[in-house]
Amino acid sequence: MGRLRKDFRNGQSAIGGIGTAVNRDLSADALAAELRSSAYTGGVDLFHEWGNRSWSLTGHLAGSRIAGDAAVIEAAQFASARYFQRPDAGHVELDPTKTSMSGYTGEISLRRQAGLHWRGNVEVNATSPGFEVNDLGFQRDADRRQAEASLEYQENRPGDILRSWEVSVSPRASWNFDGDRIGSYVSLRSRATFLNYWSPSLSISRNFETYDDRLTRGGPLAKKPAETSLSLWTTSDWSKPYSGFASIRREWDEAGGSQTSVNARIT
């Protein structure tokens, strides 16, 4: 495993690379039937700030390749990160004769991270169905494309009632490589701090009706009903000898399910 990174412009820009390699001695048949003989990954990443560090651009691109006996690579195709055996997947196909599998992942994000009032970000990322790094890393999902954004307005100049306040909206959508919409989400959040340092917050989010390509564990797509959640919480002045936190959350979906949770703490 190796990692290199070079900083520029007093840390306001950087470029890096990473590489990992796994090679196993599988002379025993029992090991060859269970483990991959090799697994390689390589990638580059970048980071750049400008405008007195008000703006930033980050991104990475990486690839992977695993190899082994056909039964081992078939197991990787069956894994819950990809489920190549799904009957209605038109972009992947289970191949029991393959002895290797390759893939890629990438992400780019543009962020407005400082400013008097407005902040936000735009991000897109993708992980191909064949990407696999669990031999020397951790990976939960593959076969994913996602786009998300956020826009936030904040006021940090104290007024007659509020010390500060902010409101933000965040949409997000995701697809698999077959074009199935597997996520569609938007949230609206607000927070305020009074002059006495009590701070209430309100959040409402909506998950729209989409599909789930993992629920049936290798079977066909399943429809996910739309879901709405509403949360309200507040904190008192933490600098006082006694302080507290309280919240209530309500969730409900179009299939008739619902849940309410209440939480409180005093310190």
Side-chain angles (χ1 to χ4, degrees):
M1 174 177 184
R3 166 71 169 158
L4 294 173
R5 176 183 164 112
K6 173 64 176 177
D7 291 343
F8 305 94
R9 302 172 57 241
N10 297 317
Q12 295 185 62
S13 299
I15 187 169
I18 189 171
T20 70
V22 175
N23 287 278
R24 296 185 175 98
D25 178 5
L26 302 179
S27 53
D29 291 341
L31 294 177
E34 295 291 337
L35 300 174
R36 299 157 189 165
S37 59
S38 64
Y40 298 98
T41 66
V44 294
D45 61 278
L46 62 90
F47 170 74
H48 179 63
E49 291 180 325
W50 70 94
N52 198 25
R53 293 193 163 178
S54 296
W55 293 86
S56 70
L57 180 70
T58 60
H60 69 257
L61 181 65
S64 71
R65 183 183 187 274
I66 60 172
D69 283 355
V72 174
I73 302 303
E74 184 181 21
Q77 297 176 72
F78 271 105
S80 60
R82 48 192 62 86
Y83 288 138
F84 279 12
Q85 74 273 26
R86 299 198 322 272
D88 52 1
H91 62 304
V92 293
E93 184 178 355
L94 184 67
D95 185 351
T97 66
K98 290 182 66 172
T99 57
S100 66
M101 185 174 70
S102 303
Y104 68 88
T105 185
E107 177 183 287
I108 188 166
S109 175
L110 175 65
R111 183 178 300 274
R112 168 72 168 175
Q113 58 190 19
L116 180 61
H117 295 299
W118 293 100
R119 300 186 184 188
N121 75 285
V122 177
E123 177 183 310
V124 293
N125 61 71
T127 301
S128 74
F131 186 70
E132 175 61 50
V133 295
N134 278 312
D135 290 87
L136 193 60
F138 175 77
Q139 176 191 347
R140 185 178 60 185
D141 293 321
D143 191 10
R144 292 290 183 263
R145 292 170 173 161
Q146 181 169 288
E148 61 180 285
S150 69
L151 182 64
E152 177 183 298
Y153 183 89
Q154 58 180 347
E155 177 58 80
N156 291 313
R157 294 173 296 189
D160 295 334
I161 299 175
L162 298 176
R163 188 174 299 275
S164 64
W165 61 274
E166 64 185 50
V167 60
S168 65
V169 59
S170 303
R172 182 176 69 237
S174 55
W175 304 260
N176 60 23
F177 274 58
D178 210 15
D180 302 312
R181 178 73 69 90
I182 56 175
S184 188
Y185 168 88
V186 64
S187 69
L188 179 66
R189 295 182 174 90
S190 63
R191 183 186 65 84
T193 301
F194 290 103
L195 297 179
N196 63 359
Y197 290 100
W198 281 62
S199 182
S201 300
L202 174 67
S203 172
I204 184 169
S205 62
R206 175 75 168 176
N207 281 293
F208 297 95
E209 184 179 89
T210 53
Y211 290 94
D212 191 334
D213 58 1
R214 300 291 184 258
L215 182 66
T216 57
R217 302 187 183 187
L221 290 169
K223 185 175 288 187
K224 293 192 299 184
E227 180 184 70
T228 304
S229 66
L230 178 66
S231 301
L232 176 65
W233 66 98
T234 187
T235 59
S236 67
D237 183 357
W238 293 108
S239 68
K240 299 296 185 181
Y242 294 93
S243 60
F245 164 87
S247 70
I248 181 170
R249 179 180 177 87
R250 174 71 174 171
E251 299 173 274
W252 64 97
D253 64 34
E254 293 185 354
S258 64
Q259 176 178 284
T260 302
S261 58
V262 179
N263 186 27
R265 182 176 73 244
I266 188 169
T267 302

